[in-house]
Amino acid sequence: MIVAHHYVVNSGLTGQDSPMALNPNSSNTIFLYLFGLWGKTGINCFLMITGYFMCKSSISVRKFVKLILWIYLYKVIIYGVFLATGHDTICLKRLIQVIMPVWGFNTNFTSCFIGFWLTIPFWNILVKNMTKRQHEVLLCLLLSMYTFLGSLPGFGVSMNYVTWFGIIYLIASYIRLYPMEIYDNKKVWASVSIITIILAIASILTSHIFLRKGEALFLSDSNKIFAVAIAVVTFLWFKNMNISYSKLINTIGGSTFGVLLIHANSDAMRQWLWKDTVDCVGHYNMPFWQFAGFSIGVVLAIFFICTIIDIIRIKLFEEPFFKWYDKEPRFQRLAAFLSK
């Protein structure tokens, strides 16, 4: 969902004088509005999974080292490759961006996720010491401000992703800490999920037909009502699926963050991937079914190629490094000291 979203918003297909703006009623434009609709919902799904498991877990130095090395490896290697091939430049600002583990706590997912991830121990203190009623009141208050009022056209909400991730964390931790019988009804959540997705699609088509706007009014950002609702109800649906252990699913799942780190690495990557290599704009005028097939095929190809690259990273870099790390006494003493 996130790769498909980037296919639309990072490729030059949107914006002033773009193919979608110049051809608002074409079948390809309507397809792209629906195809790229789910990126912010995908972010919420990712954070729902994080919150559900981490509210009963803990952050360790090892986990933090793994996360930082994961990020830095792709930052440095991709920058080096693009620099050598003339797709990136050497300047002070760009070098600082590569050196810094974070760059802007606004809409940059990786930076905001690191910032939020470091606050998880404090969120856990909060959720474990609140009563159920306090948890419910806090959720109602925050969702009223950020989601219900924030979904009203013209009602401004200045949202920071670090803060928003905390709200999703509160939702997921509530589901985990206060189980209810209704949470386990797979048929209910399957039906609710399908209905909610249909309503979200209908909202886009209605906006396009009657308001002449191809805007995802209720899905345009992670705090919007359908972006939140779909993430929550589909999470409950999938949580209750009786899927047996699958090494393939776990392998792919373990590399999804790597897919993001690769294909959304930098502006240079976005230019090279979506505009130069895939050339989304150049393929826009293809016949509808060919264009739809091309778009879906590109997104799947990028997802699986990036997954394979990340699996190779794990085998060549991560596993050997942590075999050494786990045997190094200095790291164990540091971890013991920081855990205090």
Side-chain angles (χ1 to χ4, degrees), residues 7 12 23 30 52 65 120 123 127 172 183 188 264 270 283 304 335:
Y7 177 99
N23 303 277
I30 295 172
Y52 187 81
V65 170
I120 286 177
W123 284 105
V127 300
Y183 294 163
V188 167
R270 295 179 187 95
H283 288 88
F304 285 110

Side-chain angles (χ1 to χ4, degrees), residues 274-307:
W274 300 117
K275 298 180 181 179
D276 299 339
T277 304
V278 175
D279 188 16
C280 302
V281 172
H283 288 88
Y284 173 83
N285 290 317
M286 295 171 68
F288 172 73
W289 289 112
Q290 291 182 27
F291 182 67
F294 171 81
S295 303
I296 294 169
V298 163
V299 167
L300 291 175
I302 289 172
F303 180 85
F304 285 110
I305 289 171
C306 291
T307 298

Side-chain angles (χ1 to χ4, degrees), residues 243-255 307 311 315 319:
I243 302 174
S244 59
Y245 171 80
S246 169
K247 185 177 180 180
L248 177 62
I249 291 175
N250 285 359
T251 300
I252 294 174
S255 290
T307 298
I311 292 170
K315 297 298 181 183
E319 290 182 354

